[in-house]
mmCIF file of all heavy atoms in Angstrom:
data_model
loop_
_atom_site.group_PDB
_atom_site.id
_atom_site.type_symbol
_atom_site.label_atom_id
_atom_site.label_comp_id
_atom_site.label_asym_id
_atom_site.label_seq_id
_atom_site.Cartn_x
_atom_site.Cartn_y
_atom_site.Cartn_z
ATOM 1 N N PRO A 95 63.233 106.079 108.985
ATOM 2 C CA PRO A 95 64.407 105.682 109.779
ATOM 3 C C PRO A 95 64.506 104.176 110.025
ATOM 4 O O PRO A 95 65.611 103.635 110.098
ATOM 5 C CB PRO A 95 64.240 106.444 111.087
ATOM 6 C CG PRO A 95 62.796 106.810 111.152
ATOM 7 C CD PRO A 95 62.327 106.948 109.731
ATOM 8 N N GLU A 96 63.373 103.473 110.127
ATOM 9 C CA GLU A 96 63.432 102.029 110.381
ATOM 10 C C GLU A 96 64.015 101.287 109.170
ATOM 11 O O GLU A 96 64.785 100.335 109.329
ATOM 12 C CB GLU A 96 62.046 101.473 110.758
ATOM 13 C CG GLU A 96 60.991 101.466 109.661
ATOM 14 C CD GLU A 96 60.420 102.841 109.279
ATOM 15 O OE1 GLU A 96 60.572 103.800 110.051
ATOM 16 O OE2 GLU A 96 59.828 102.942 108.187
ATOM 17 N N MET A 97 63.674 101.750 107.969
ATOM 18 C CA MET A 97 64.233 101.128 106.760
ATOM 19 C C MET A 97 65.716 101.482 106.616
ATOM 20 O O MET A 97 66.524 100.658 106.214
ATOM 21 C CB MET A 97 63.461 101.578 105.511
ATOM 22 C CG MET A 97 62.023 101.086 105.465
ATOM 23 S SD MET A 97 61.883 99.289 105.463
ATOM 24 C CE MET A 97 62.513 98.914 103.845
ATOM 25 N N ALA A 98 66.068 102.719 106.962
ATOM 26 C CA ALA A 98 67.466 103.147 106.901
ATOM 27 C C ALA A 98 68.304 102.306 107.852
ATOM 28 O O ALA A 98 69.427 101.894 107.524
ATOM 29 C CB ALA A 98 67.584 104.627 107.250
ATOM 30 N N GLU A 99 67.757 102.025 109.022
ATOM 31 C CA GLU A 99 68.483 101.222 110.018
ATOM 32 C C GLU A 99 68.715 99.804 109.507
ATOM 33 O O GLU A 99 69.785 99.220 109.718
ATOM 34 C CB GLU A 99 67.703 101.213 111.334
ATOM 35 C CG GLU A 99 68.515 100.817 112.535
ATOM 36 C CD GLU A 99 69.837 101.571 112.648
ATOM 37 O OE1 GLU A 99 69.869 102.806 112.530
ATOM 38 O OE2 GLU A 99 70.875 100.891 112.846
ATOM 39 N N ARG A 100 67.732 99.236 108.838
ATOM 40 C CA ARG A 100 67.881 97.890 108.265
ATOM 41 C C ARG A 100 69.003 97.882 107.219
ATOM 42 O O ARG A 100 69.816 96.954 107.173
ATOM 43 C CB ARG A 100 66.571 97.401 107.661
ATOM 44 C CG ARG A 100 66.721 96.001 107.078
ATOM 45 C CD ARG A 100 65.425 95.450 106.526
ATOM 46 N NE ARG A 100 65.640 94.202 105.837
ATOM 47 C CZ ARG A 100 65.621 93.007 106.409
ATOM 48 N NH1 ARG A 100 65.400 92.897 107.701
ATOM 49 N NH2 ARG A 100 65.836 91.925 105.700
ATOM 50 N N GLU A 101 69.013 98.904 106.357
ATOM 51 C CA GLU A 101 70.064 98.998 105.331
ATOM 52 C C GLU A 101 71.447 99.105 105.983
ATOM 53 O O GLU A 101 72.406 98.489 105.532
ATOM 54 C CB GLU A 101 69.822 100.200 104.406
ATOM 55 C CG GLU A 101 68.583 100.094 103.552
ATOM 56 C CD GLU A 101 68.630 98.990 102.504
ATOM 57 O OE1 GLU A 101 69.715 98.577 102.094
ATOM 58 O OE2 GLU A 101 67.542 98.527 102.106
ATOM 59 N N ARG A 102 71.541 99.884 107.069
ATOM 60 C CA ARG A 102 72.823 100.012 107.778
ATOM 61 C C ARG A 102 73.241 98.684 108.403
ATOM 62 O O ARG A 102 74.417 98.344 108.421
ATOM 63 C CB ARG A 102 72.734 101.097 108.849
ATOM 64 C CG ARG A 102 72.860 102.473 108.292
ATOM 65 C CD ARG A 102 73.066 103.529 109.385
ATOM 66 N NE ARG A 102 72.700 104.804 108.823
ATOM 67 C CZ ARG A 102 71.481 105.312 108.813
ATOM 68 N NH1 ARG A 102 70.493 104.687 109.396
ATOM 69 N NH2 ARG A 102 71.236 106.478 108.247
ATOM 70 N N ALA A 103 72.264 97.935 108.921
ATOM 71 C CA ALA A 103 72.559 96.620 109.514
ATOM 72 C C ALA A 103 73.083 95.667 108.439
ATOM 73 O O ALA A 103 74.034 94.917 108.668
ATOM 74 C CB ALA A 103 71.304 96.050 110.175
ATOM 75 N N GLU A 104 72.472 95.716 107.249
ATOM 76 C CA GLU A 104 72.947 94.875 106.146
ATOM 77 C C GLU A 104 74.356 95.297 105.721
ATOM 78 O O GLU A 104 75.215 94.445 105.464
ATOM 79 C CB GLU A 104 71.984 94.959 104.957
ATOM 80 C CG GLU A 104 70.665 94.263 105.201
ATOM 81 C CD GLU A 104 69.714 94.356 104.013
ATOM 82 O OE1 GLU A 104 70.068 94.975 102.992
ATOM 83 O OE2 GLU A 104 68.606 93.798 104.120
ATOM 84 N N ALA A 105 74.598 96.601 105.659
ATOM 85 C CA ALA A 105 75.927 97.099 105.286
ATOM 86 C C ALA A 105 76.971 96.643 106.301
ATOM 87 O O ALA A 105 78.101 96.301 105.929
ATOM 88 C CB ALA A 105 75.915 98.628 105.189
ATOM 89 N N ALA A 106 76.600 96.592 107.583
ATOM 90 C CA ALA A 106 77.534 96.142 108.621
ATOM 91 C C ALA A 106 77.880 94.668 108.445
ATOM 92 O O ALA A 106 79.030 94.261 108.640
ATOM 93 C CB ALA A 106 76.938 96.384 110.006
ATOM 94 N N VAL A 107 76.890 93.861 108.050
ATOM 95 C CA VAL A 107 77.153 92.438 107.801
ATOM 96 C C VAL A 107 78.128 92.296 106.632
ATOM 97 O O VAL A 107 79.102 91.548 106.700
ATOM 98 C CB VAL A 107 75.835 91.667 107.511
ATOM 99 C CG1 VAL A 107 76.129 90.258 107.017
ATOM 100 C CG2 VAL A 107 74.965 91.626 108.757
ATOM 101 N N ILE A 108 77.886 93.032 105.559
ATOM 102 C CA ILE A 108 78.751 92.961 104.379
ATOM 103 C C ILE A 108 80.156 93.434 104.723
ATOM 104 O O ILE A 108 81.151 92.858 104.273
ATOM 105 C CB ILE A 108 78.151 93.789 103.219
ATOM 106 C CG1 ILE A 108 76.823 93.169 102.774
ATOM 107 C CG2 ILE A 108 79.121 93.854 102.046
ATOM 108 C CD1 ILE A 108 76.005 94.037 101.831
ATOM 109 N N ALA A 109 80.257 94.483 105.551
ATOM 110 C CA ALA A 109 81.564 95.043 105.925
ATOM 111 C C ALA A 109 82.456 94.005 106.609
ATOM 112 O O ALA A 109 83.684 94.083 106.519
ATOM 113 C CB ALA A 109 81.381 96.254 106.823
ATOM 114 N N ASP A 110 81.845 93.012 107.268
ATOM 115 C CA ASP A 110 82.630 91.952 107.916
ATOM 116 C C ASP A 110 83.474 91.171 106.917
ATOM 117 O O ASP A 110 84.465 90.546 107.293
ATOM 118 C CB ASP A 110 81.712 90.957 108.646
ATOM 119 C CG ASP A 110 81.040 91.573 109.864
ATOM 120 O OD1 ASP A 110 81.488 92.645 110.313
ATOM 121 O OD2 ASP A 110 80.072 90.960 110.343
ATOM 122 N N TYR A 111 83.093 91.182 105.650
ATOM 123 C CA TYR A 111 83.771 90.384 104.630
ATOM 124 C C TYR A 111 84.659 91.217 103.716
ATOM 125 O O TYR A 111 85.325 90.681 102.845
ATOM 126 C CB TYR A 111 82.731 89.618 103.792
ATOM 127 C CG TYR A 111 81.917 88.689 104.650
ATOM 128 C CD1 TYR A 111 80.706 89.096 105.196
ATOM 129 C CD2 TYR A 111 82.395 87.427 104.970
ATOM 130 C CE1 TYR A 111 79.975 88.261 106.022
ATOM 131 C CE2 TYR A 111 81.668 86.596 105.797
ATOM 132 C CZ TYR A 111 80.458 87.010 106.317
ATOM 133 O OH TYR A 111 79.755 86.180 107.146
ATOM 134 N N LEU A 112 84.660 92.515 103.929
ATOM 135 C CA LEU A 112 85.496 93.399 103.114
ATOM 136 C C LEU A 112 86.834 93.645 103.803
ATOM 137 O O LEU A 112 86.906 93.630 105.029
ATOM 138 C CB LEU A 112 84.787 94.739 102.891
ATOM 139 C CG LEU A 112 83.583 94.705 101.962
ATOM 140 C CD1 LEU A 112 82.834 96.030 102.011
ATOM 141 C CD2 LEU A 112 84.024 94.400 100.547
ATOM 142 N N PRO A 113 87.887 93.909 103.015
ATOM 143 C CA PRO A 113 89.173 94.246 103.632
ATOM 144 C C PRO A 113 89.051 95.553 104.411
ATOM 145 O O PRO A 113 88.132 96.334 104.179
ATOM 146 C CB PRO A 113 90.123 94.426 102.441
ATOM 147 C CG PRO A 113 89.343 94.187 101.211
ATOM 148 C CD PRO A 113 87.927 93.905 101.570
ATOM 149 N N GLU A 114 89.984 95.764 105.322
ATOM 150 C CA GLU A 114 90.000 96.985 106.136
ATOM 151 C C GLU A 114 90.033 98.207 105.211
ATOM 152 O O GLU A 114 90.870 98.289 104.321
ATOM 153 C CB GLU A 114 91.247 96.973 107.023
ATOM 154 C CG GLU A 114 91.255 98.005 108.124
ATOM 155 C CD GLU A 114 90.162 97.773 109.160
ATOM 156 O OE1 GLU A 114 89.845 96.626 109.466
ATOM 157 O OE2 GLU A 114 89.634 98.788 109.648
ATOM 158 N N PRO A 115 89.098 99.177 105.391
ATOM 159 C CA PRO A 115 89.101 100.352 104.514
ATOM 160 C C PRO A 115 90.345 101.216 104.722
ATOM 161 O O PRO A 115 90.911 101.251 105.810
ATOM 162 C CB PRO A 115 87.845 101.115 104.914
ATOM 163 C CG PRO A 115 87.268 100.436 106.092
ATOM 164 C CD PRO A 115 88.031 99.186 106.356
ATOM 165 N N LEU A 116 90.750 101.888 103.666
ATOM 166 C CA LEU A 116 91.909 102.776 103.733
ATOM 167 C C LEU A 116 91.521 104.090 104.413
ATOM 168 O O LEU A 116 90.404 104.572 104.248
ATOM 169 C CB LEU A 116 92.408 103.086 102.323
ATOM 170 C CG LEU A 116 92.997 101.927 101.537
ATOM 171 C CD1 LEU A 116 93.204 102.327 100.077
ATOM 172 C CD2 LEU A 116 94.316 101.492 102.143
ATOM 173 N N THR A 117 92.464 104.657 105.144
ATOM 174 C CA THR A 117 92.235 105.974 105.745
ATOM 175 C C THR A 117 92.499 107.038 104.683
ATOM 176 O O THR A 117 93.103 106.762 103.641
ATOM 177 C CB THR A 117 93.186 106.214 106.929
ATOM 178 O OG1 THR A 117 94.534 106.240 106.426
ATOM 179 C CG2 THR A 117 93.046 105.138 107.997
ATOM 180 N N ASP A 118 92.074 108.276 104.956
ATOM 181 C CA ASP A 118 92.321 109.380 104.025
ATOM 182 C C ASP A 118 93.816 109.574 103.815
ATOM 183 O O ASP A 118 94.266 109.849 102.701
ATOM 184 C CB ASP A 118 91.689 110.674 104.540
ATOM 185 C CG ASP A 118 90.167 110.633 104.462
ATOM 186 O OD1 ASP A 118 89.625 109.787 103.725
ATOM 187 O OD2 ASP A 118 89.524 111.451 105.149
ATOM 188 N N ALA A 119 94.594 109.410 104.881
ATOM 189 C CA ALA A 119 96.049 109.578 104.778
ATOM 190 C C ALA A 119 96.653 108.503 103.874
ATOM 191 O O ALA A 119 97.564 108.787 103.078
ATOM 192 C CB ALA A 119 96.686 109.528 106.163
ATOM 193 N N GLU A 120 96.157 107.268 103.985
ATOM 194 C CA GLU A 120 96.670 106.188 103.136
ATOM 195 C C GLU A 120 96.313 106.428 101.670
ATOM 196 O O GLU A 120 97.139 106.205 100.779
ATOM 197 C CB GLU A 120 96.104 104.833 103.598
ATOM 198 C CG GLU A 120 96.672 104.367 104.934
ATOM 199 C CD GLU A 120 95.935 103.151 105.492
ATOM 200 O OE1 GLU A 120 94.693 103.073 105.363
ATOM 201 O OE2 GLU A 120 96.617 102.286 106.068
ATOM 202 N N ILE A 121 95.097 106.921 101.417
ATOM 203 C CA ILE A 121 94.694 107.242 100.044
ATOM 204 C C ILE A 121 95.589 108.351 99.499
ATOM 205 O O ILE A 121 96.078 108.276 98.369
ATOM 206 C CB ILE A 121 93.208 107.659 99.988
ATOM 207 C CG1 ILE A 121 92.320 106.463 100.327
ATOM 208 C CG2 ILE A 121 92.851 108.223 98.617
ATOM 209 C CD1 ILE A 121 90.858 106.813 100.530
#
Side-chain angles (χ1 to χ4, degrees):
E96 68 288 343
M97 294 299 290
E99 199 49 48
R100 180 177 173 88
E101 294 294 336
R102 281 192 200 87
E104 289 180 359
V107 170
I108 295 169
D110 291 345
Y111 300 93
L112 289 170
E114 193 65 36
L116 293 169
T117 64
D118 289 342
E120 290 170 322
I121 293 170

